[in-house]
Amino acid sequence: MSNHTQRESQNRQQLQHKEPMFYYFAYGSCMCPVDLKRTFGENTHNYVMGAGILNNYRLGFYRYSASRKCGVLDVVKDSNSRVHGVLYQLPWRLSESLDKREDVPRGGYRQEFVDIDFQGKIYKNVRTYVVVNKLLSEIAPNDWYFNVVLRGAITCKLPEEYCWGLFNHMNGLQSSQLSVIN
């Protein structure tokens, strides 16, 4: 373990002793700690544990976000797939802000508790969010959402092959949308 990784682990342990924490698995724009900081108003890098895996789910753009004016990510149960994302350990005081970001009060997403594979260990009852009223087909992300999702995936060191798959999926949706418009 590098000195930097040890220091991050020690910081997380110190934070954990000071206040109640919960685990959160992000697979969309929340993978980007810089974007998550916009919601919480504080630096979130110290809460990043690293890349994790959600087995038996797949990604899809099954929700239209009125605020972002584009399709946004969702996870859907699929026994033949897995989703890579970012495992956070967040202070409980940020829970309500996270719910608001995910549009829980208005029925956009709902909390779901899942098992996450992180560094060979299974973390149980990790919070993630799933779309409540899924669209029948995917809607493309806009360029801003595309970039923030990819930036989060790369920043938090998701596997390169997965990042390329994510890029190709989003690019394909955008290309399909453009061909329909033209």
Side-chain angles (χ1 to χ4, degrees):
M1 187 182 292
S2 73
N3 286 339
H4 179 69
T5 306
Q6 278 182 319
R7 202 168 39 252
E8 285 179 349
S9 179
Q10 288 170 346
N11 286 345
R12 265 196 306 279
Q13 288 171 355
Q14 288 171 352
L15 287 170
Q16 190 174 20
H17 293 297
K18 291 182 181 176
E19 61 184 312
M21 306 288 275
F22 68 99
Y23 292 109
Y24 165 57
F25 179 75
Y27 55 83
S29 62
C30 289
M31 289 191 295
C32 180
V34 173
D35 192 57
L36 200 52
K37 179 182 180 179
R38 277 186 323 108
T39 298
F40 298 145
E42 66 180 81
N43 190 337
T44 59
H45 285 86
N46 290 335
Y47 303 132
V48 172
M49 293 179 64
I53 300 170
L54 172 60
N55 290 307
N56 302 313
Y57 283 80
R58 67 179 163 78
L59 284 178
F61 286 84
Y62 295 108
R63 180 166 193 264
Y64 177 79
S65 169
S67 63
R68 293 191 170 143
K69 297 179 178 45
C70 69
V72 291
L73 280 166
D74 181 22
V75 288
V76 180
K77 288 186 180 185
D78 180 341
S79 60
N80 298 315
S81 297
R82 63 187 190 170
V83 174
H84 289 260
V86 177
L87 182 62
Y88 287 91
Q89 188 175 26
L90 295 173
W92 189 255
R93 64 185 160 75
L94 300 178
S95 178
E96 188 176 332
S97 295
L98 187 58
D99 279 354
K100 284 180 185 171
R101 177 185 171 116
E102 298 299 335
D103 210 18
V104 170
R106 295 191 321 211
Y109 287 82
R110 66 174 171 75
Q111 292 182 5
E112 184 153 306
F113 294 89
V114 296
D115 296 344
I116 299 298
D117 184 342
F118 176 71
Q119 297 181 349
K121 181 181 174 190
I122 301 298
Y123 284 71
K124 298 205 168 278
N125 297 313
V126 175
R127 183 190 305 182
T128 197
Y129 292 86
V130 297
V131 170
V132 174
N133 295 310
K134 297 176 189 313
L135 299 172
L136 297 177
S137 60
E138 292 184 280
I139 295 181
N142 62 23
D143 289 343
W144 179 88
Y145 190 82
F146 185 122
N147 289 324
V148 78
V149 168
L150 208 51
R151 184 173 58 238
I154 293 167
T155 298
C156 292
K157 299 178 175 53
L158 270 58
E160 182 178 352
E161 183 178 324
Y162 186 81
C163 291
W164 276 112
L166 191 56
F167 173 88
N168 289 329
H169 184 82
M170 292 188 291
N171 189 54
L173 287 172
Q174 285 185 335
S175 296
S176 294
Q177 183 176 306
L178 284 175
S179 62
V180 169
I181 293 170
N182 294 329

